[in-house]
Amino acid sequence: MSRPAVHLIDGSLYVFRAWHSMPDEFHDADGHPVNAVHGFTRFLCELLERVKPEHLAVAFDASLTTSFRNAIYPAYKANRELPPPDLERQFVLCREVALALGVPVLIDHTYEADDLIGSALWTFRGHGFRSVIVSADKDFGQLLGDDDEQWDYARNLRWGPAGVHEKLGVHPHQVADYLALCGDAVDNIPGVPGVGAKTAAALLAHFGNLDALLDRVDEVPFLRLRGAASCAVKLREHAEAARLYRRLTRIALDAPVPLEADALRRQRGETGVMDALCERLRFGPLTRTRLRALLA
């Protein structure tokens, strides 16, 4: 762990968590609800106080209907409702809070937050950094290298590549293939019919990756696997669909992120900007004290 760390935060996850967990009693100066902003600000303050990171970024989603994945597969995330206007407005305010604290923000209308985090991780690995992905999302397991880790902040659980195998039964380089096979209901990716999580893990343990599995599908009926013959039939029928699903489950590493290491260095925030934001969002005295201390 001698390499410097860059903390890459799944901002949208923590905004949604605050939206669902914070009471609906916080309003800004114009009377609009800001419960998610208050919850997200407390989370970000606590993380900055606890870790004191020199390099970090918060990634936000702005591509629920405009992602490159929607062009490939129109049903992608079609099971999700668009955020209500009150929440959409609070996402913008959460970005303002992060920027006022000097925290770099990553956002794009074609690439999702996962892709921005993956691309930043890949870029910073080239600069000699290890990455700490602050999120509970299982998809991020595919990004973890030997020195990287994922941090479920709410549960204070951390894991590296070995933890991915403990949780899913596959190694990081197999996660995208695994999700393509067994599907991901959260993102409306159906997977191959009849292939569940355990079967997907067992197939990848034997064949190594999706391409080898589909190339050698004739071997599947001879595996010690429940319903192996039926599974082989489904894999033949849905081979092209599985390859398509992998294009959806694989996190992009070429999203537009800053290429220089200093671009994700935390900057000094401006007191005037923060004070105006505190007034507008009607933060309480404790939160204001924490924010001012973080600016110092």
Side-chain angles (χ1 to χ4, degrees), residues 16-271:
F16 273 115
R17 283 194 172 181
W19 167 257
H20 290 295
S21 64
M22 293 291 288
D24 215 4
E25 60 187 33
F26 300 96
H27 298 84
D28 65 11
D30 297 321
H32 297 293
V34 285
N35 58 319
V37 187
H38 280 244
F40 175 79
T41 301
R42 292 179 189 180
F43 152 74
L44 191 56
C45 283
E46 185 176 309
L47 187 143
L48 293 174
E49 291 162 354
R50 186 173 174 180
V51 179
K52 299 178 175 62
E54 287 188 20
H55 292 84
L56 78 161
V58 183
F60 290 96
D61 278 317
S63 59
L64 188 55
T65 59
T66 60
S67 160
F68 74 90
R69 293 179 178 85
N70 294 102
I72 295 170
Y73 183 64
Y76 179 69
K77 290 189 177 180
N79 55 335
R80 296 195 191 184
E81 293 183 4
L82 290 172
D86 279 340
L87 178 55
E88 193 69 48
R89 183 175 171 278
Q90 291 190 67
F91 267 105
V92 177
L93 293 169
C94 288
R95 298 200 295 268
E96 287 189 41
V97 169
L99 290 169
L101 281 167
V103 176
V105 165
L106 302 175
I107 188 167
D108 191 83
H109 288 280
T110 300
Y111 292 91
E112 298 178 62
D114 293 17
D115 304 312
L116 297 168
I117 286 174
S119 300
L121 177 147
W122 191 251
T123 299
F124 270 68
R125 186 176 291 167
H127 289 303
F129 283 74
R130 66 183 183 90
S131 291
V132 179
I133 301 172
V134 185
S135 177
D137 191 338
K138 65 184 180 303
D139 297 5
F140 286 119
Q142 65 188 274
L143 298 174
L144 299 184
D146 289 342
D147 294 335
D148 302 319
E149 64 179 345
Q150 189 169 344
W151 184 11
D152 180 346
Y153 191 84
R155 296 181 176 86
N156 197 29
L157 296 174
R158 295 175 182 255
W159 59 91
V164 176
H165 193 273
E166 289 174 12
K167 290 174 179 293
L168 302 180
V170 296
H171 299 288
H173 69 276
Q174 298 172 314
V175 169
D177 290 358
Y178 165 84
L179 293 171
L181 285 167
C182 65
D184 189 349
V186 173
D187 290 339
N188 206 36
I189 300 172
V192 176
V195 176
K198 289 184 178 179
T199 300
L203 290 169
L204 291 171
H206 184 83
F207 293 99
N209 60 59
L210 179 63
D211 293 319
L213 165 62
L214 297 177
D215 288 344
R216 296 161 53 195
V217 70
D218 291 343
E219 298 175 29
V220 172
F222 302 100
L223 298 181
R224 290 184 177 178
L225 196 66
R226 185 175 179 181
S230 172
C231 180
V233 171
K234 295 293 186 184
L235 286 167
R236 288 192 195 94
E237 289 176 353
H238 298 273
E240 288 311 306
R243 291 188 177 99
L244 169 65
Y245 299 151
R246 184 175 56 186
R247 294 172 66 192
L248 306 177
T249 60
R250 181 180 284 159
I251 292 176
L253 301 178
D254 59 351
V257 298
L259 299 178
E260 306 79 22
D262 279 349
L264 297 191
R265 184 185 292 274
R266 189 177 168 219
Q267 304 298 312
R268 183 177 293 277
E270 295 183 19
T271 305

